[in-house]
Amino acid sequence: MVPGSGNFTLELYSRSTADNTIVCLPAGVGYGLRVRRTLANTLELTINDVVLGTTSPITNIGWLAVVRSGSNIALFWQGLEKLSFDIGAATIASDGVLSIGDVGNVATDSFWETGLWVDEARYTKNVARYAGAYAIPTQQFVGDFTATLHQAAYPYPEHVKVTQFGQAN
């Protein structure tokens, strides 16, 4: 997944614990894109190693979406826009691997679990699905979805999670 400077929508339904990464797109030793749940139970949005902002406290289970539309990037929680920033023509850096529920370094293939459970996930390239409040999905996604199990750095097979997936339209 390489969003670059184009539009995209990344959305997932998850349950997370505090002070853990929900989704990250590693870029070198940093992050092109990262959404983290903080100790204060807020969501923190990072683009190209710059923390853009944090939300007010959230519940531990909910629907998360990150949407880029032109120069705007927005973070939604439970169908409501919580953060929105103008990032201009910035290209979101990427090593090409999107991690959900894990965080790590692609170059060294070292990933570690971060305390996240995912029910549904979808990445749509070149489409900004939401421009404001929306009704969260009530059914599972339908379409082409491929997943790869990635268990590089932690030796607990009972906790293996889907952390790399193909584009779904």
Side-chain angles (χ1 to χ4, degrees), residues 33-35 43-47 50-53 75 83 85:
L33 167 70
R34 182 181 187 199
V35 177
L43 292 176
E44 176 184 89
L45 177 62
T46 300
I47 300 293
V50 175
V51 175
L52 298 181
L75 185 143
L83 297 172
F85 300 94

Side-chain angles (χ1 to χ4, degrees), residues 57-152:
I58 61 162
T59 58
N60 70 332
I61 299 175
W63 195 261
L64 169 73
V66 179
V67 179
R68 179 167 189 174
S69 179
S71 65
N72 186 69
I73 191 152
L75 185 143
F76 294 84
W77 181 255
Q78 290 296 86
L80 300 175
E81 185 176 287
K82 298 296 185 175
L83 297 172
S84 179
F85 300 94
D86 185 337
I87 60 172
T91 297
I92 296 175
S94 166
D95 286 336
V97 176
L98 175 69
S99 292
I100 298 175
D102 281 354
V103 66
N105 184 311
V106 174
T108 62
D109 199 29
S110 59
F111 289 79
W112 54 95
E113 184 177 358
T114 65
L116 174 76
W117 293 261
V118 175
D119 191 29
E120 293 288 326
R122 174 171 60 183
Y123 171 71
T124 311
K125 189 174 182 178
N126 299 322
V127 177
R129 289 186 181 273
Y130 312 116
Y134 65 94
I136 59 175
T138 58
Q139 298 179 10
Q140 67 186 39
F141 291 132
V142 177
D144 180 27
F145 183 85
T146 57
T148 303
L149 292 179
H150 183 82
Q151 50 184 321

